[in-house]
Amino acid sequence: PANSKFENTSTGTITVGGSGGNSSGMAKLTDVSFDSNDLVKNNGIINVSGDKNSGMFLKSNNNDTFTSTNKINITGGTNNAGMRIEADSGTGIQKGVNTGTIEISGGSNNMGMLSSSTAYSSTGTVKITTVENGTAGGGVTSGTIKISSGSSNVGLMNNDKGIFTNYGTVDVSGGTKNVGFLISSGSQ
C-alpha cells in the first residue's frame, strides 16, 4: 500500500549471497504500483557477495527514492551492486541516494552504485534515473564509496541516460583496474 514503510533499521543486518544471482537485500519492482519516495531506507548494514546480487534494487514506473544512510558492504563475487536503480516504462522518476558508506572489498566487476535507464515512457520520452552519492546543502552527511581490493570494480556506474551527482567521496585505494566513475554512452 501507498503508506507502507520499508526500512532496515540501525540495528538490522541483511546478508545477500549465492551464485544464482538476481537476489536483493531490499527491492521494489515494477509490479508494485505506488510511489515510494522516502519510504525505502537502509539505516543498517547490508552485506552482498556471490554473483549478480544487489544490496538495494529499484526497478519501477513510479516516483521512487531509495536511500542508504549507513553501510553496504560488497565483500567479493562478481557483477554485484550496492545500489541498483533502473527505470521501467511509465512516467515516474527513480532515484538512489547514498549518504552512508558503500564499500567494495573484493571480487570483480562489482559496482557501488549503478544507474540504468533504457526504457521509454508511454509518451515516447526517455526515462532518466538519478543517483546521488551524498547530498547537497547544509550539514547533511556526505556519502562515501570505497574500493580497497579486487579487480575491474566501479564506484559509480552510469548506463543509458542516467544522471550521477557526487557530493561525497569516492576512494579507490587498492586492487587492479578499479575505477571511481564509469560513464557509458547516453549518460548525462
Side-chain angles (χ1 to χ4, degrees):
N3 60 355
S4 295
K5 183 176 181 180
F6 187 22
E7 178 182 1
N8 182 28
T9 66
S10 61
T11 59
T13 300
I14 297 171
T15 301
V16 181
S19 60
N22 301 318
S23 296
S24 297
M26 301 177 83
K28 180 179 179 220
L29 303 177
T30 304
D31 57 352
V32 178
S33 60
F34 63 86
D35 295 346
S36 67
N37 283 332
D38 298 319
L39 297 177
V40 181
K41 294 182 180 181
N42 172 42
N43 296 321
I45 297 171
I46 300 176
N47 298 310
V48 182
S49 63
D51 185 37
K52 298 180 183 176
N53 296 312
S54 301
M56 299 178 79
F57 177 47
L58 169 64
K59 184 172 184 176
S60 174
N61 300 327
N62 300 86
N63 294 312
D64 292 304
T65 301
F66 270 30
T67 304
S68 181
T69 64
N70 196 347
K71 191 157 189 185
I72 299 174
N73 299 306
I74 301 173
T75 58
T78 59
N79 300 307
N80 294 308
M83 294 180 80
R84 180 177 167 187
I85 309 298
E86 288 187 19
D88 206 345
S89 60
T91 58
I93 303 296
Q94 295 74 40
K95 185 175 185 179
V97 178
N98 173 47
T99 59
T101 299
I102 298 174
E103 184 167 358
I104 301 172
S105 60
S108 62
N109 300 314
N110 293 313
M111 295 149 282
M113 298 178 82
L114 170 64
S115 171
S116 182
S117 178
T118 58
Y120 290 81
S121 72
S122 56
T123 62
T125 57
V126 176
K127 294 282 302 203
I128 304 293
T129 58
T130 303
V131 177
E132 295 177 1
N133 182 42
T135 56
V140 177
T141 304
S142 292
T144 301
I145 296 176
K146 296 180 181 182
I147 303 174
S148 60
S149 67
S151 64
S152 302
N153 295 310
V154 178
L156 297 158
M157 184 170 176
N158 194 357
N159 284 332
D160 304 315
K161 309 206 179 346
I163 298 173
F164 261 120
T165 307
N166 181 45
Y167 300 105
T169 301
V170 178
D171 178 6
V172 180
S173 62
T176 58
K177 298 182 182 179
N178 292 322
V179 177
F181 286 88
L182 178 62
I183 300 172
S184 68
S185 64
S187 299
Q188 296 188 12

